[in-house]
Amino acid sequence: SYVLTQPPSVSVAPGKTARITCGGNNIGSKSVHWYQQKPGQAPVLVIYYDSDRPSGIPERFSGSNSGNTATLTISRVEAGDEADYYCQVWDSSSDHPYWVFGGGTKLTVL
Amino acid sequence: EVQLVESGGGLVQPGGSLRLSCAASGFTVSSNYMSWVRQAPGKGLEWVSVIYSGGSTYYADSVKGRFTISRDNSKNTLYLQMNSLRAEDTAVYYCARMVVAAAPDAFDIWGQGTMVTVSS
């Protein structure tokens, strides 16, 4: 099955840029989606199809995907961005479709 | 307002059964691709099952043969019947609507989750 690898944690100072990576074999050939999850809350879709933002998501959130790495970039980080972030892809390589999540990255705002 | 509300979680003994419900408002369940995603305490997200608008269903290997996804169009509600429950099924269970372009891809609307605890 397809595996997505994320760093367990990323730390950033307020106002700086945070980059969270998601590694996978030739992930650039897949569509990558990103979710933000704050403690005790359901996940929220923040980036889909590599770089599109759902309505209501600030322009500070952006995404890219190429080769073996997808990246979620959060510019001008705010305290309220502190959360767990998960990448996700749809894998159709096995005998049935599968939706795969990365292990998650905890973003800490210093 | 587009919304999903789960219910039916609780404490169940190993080997027992539970049925989760997910009531939708603001959109039609049967016209969408719908999934269940779970999250064990302190762990990441795990996709569990999907039902396509056409009725096809798929399951994660970890629950295949034990869980059944279904929907009631008249009630605009999604269900997850869970049988032969194990301790490792302990998790918060979320229902989620899926974004479909060329294929069902992302999960754009999530419920608040319902906790399932499997323990003696």
Side-chain angles (χ1 to χ4, degrees), chain A residues 7-78:
Chain A
S9 63
V10 167
S11 298
V12 63
K16 300 299 185 182
T17 298
R19 295 179 179 83
I20 298 172
T21 59
C22 177
N25 184 31
N26 196 26
I27 195 173
S29 67
K30 299 181 179 295
S31 292
V32 179
H33 318 291
W34 291 91
Y35 303 86
Q36 175 194 69
Q37 186 180 34
K38 297 181 179 179
Q41 297 184 19
V44 173
L45 180 65
V46 294
I47 291 290
Y48 62 150
Y49 296 111
D50 297 341
S51 58
D52 291 340
R53 276 178 290 103
S55 64
I57 301 301
E59 291 183 6
R60 301 184 298 105
F61 288 81
S62 62
S64 62
N65 183 21
S66 178
N68 293 317
T69 304
T71 303
L72 172 69
T73 301
I74 309 172
S75 305
R76 302 180 300 282
V77 166
E78 304 173 355

Side-chain angles (χ1 to χ4, degrees), chain B residues 21-58:
Chain B
S21 300
C22 171
S25 56
F27 71 97
T28 303
V29 166
S30 61
S31 299
N32 284 270
Y33 289 49
M34 301 292 298
S35 269
W36 289 94
V37 177
R38 69 184 180 183
Q39 185 171 35
K43 302 298 184 182
L45 301 169
E46 179 189 17
W47 170 76
V48 172
S49 181
V50 65
I51 184 166
Y52 286 5
S53 55
S56 297
T57 58
Y58 299 96

Side-chain angles (χ1 to χ4, degrees), chain A residues 31 33 35 37 40-45 47-49 84 86 88-90 95-103, chain B residues 37 39 43-47 50 52 58-61 64 94 98-101 103-108 110-111:
Chain A
S31 292
H33 318 291
Y35 303 86
Q37 186 180 34
Q41 297 184 19
V44 173
L45 180 65
I47 291 290
Y48 62 150
Y49 296 111
D84 293 327
Y86 295 90
Q88 175 253 315
V89 301
W90 173 61
D95 60 347
H96 67 80
Y98 230 92
W99 288 266
V100 181
F101 290 91
Chain B
V37 177
Q39 185 171 35
K43 302 298 184 182
L45 301 169
E46 179 189 17
W47 170 76
V50 65
Y52 286 5
Y58 299 96
Y59 301 89
D61 292 342
K64 195 178 300 183
Y94 297 99
M98 303 187 73
V99 176
V100 180
D105 264 319
F107 306 90
D108 67 336
W110 296 67

Side-chain angles (χ1 to χ4, degrees), chain B residues 8 17 19 28-30 33 38 41 52 66 72 75 77 81-82 85 88 91 96-97 101 103 109 117:
Chain B
S17 298
R19 189 180 81 156
T28 303
V29 166
S30 61
Y33 289 49
R38 69 184 180 183
Y52 286 5
R66 301 187 298 122
D72 184 328
K75 295 183 178 179
T77 298
Q81 177 66 44
M82 303 185 297
L85 283 162
E88 54 265 35
R97 188 182 74 175
I109 304 296
T117 302

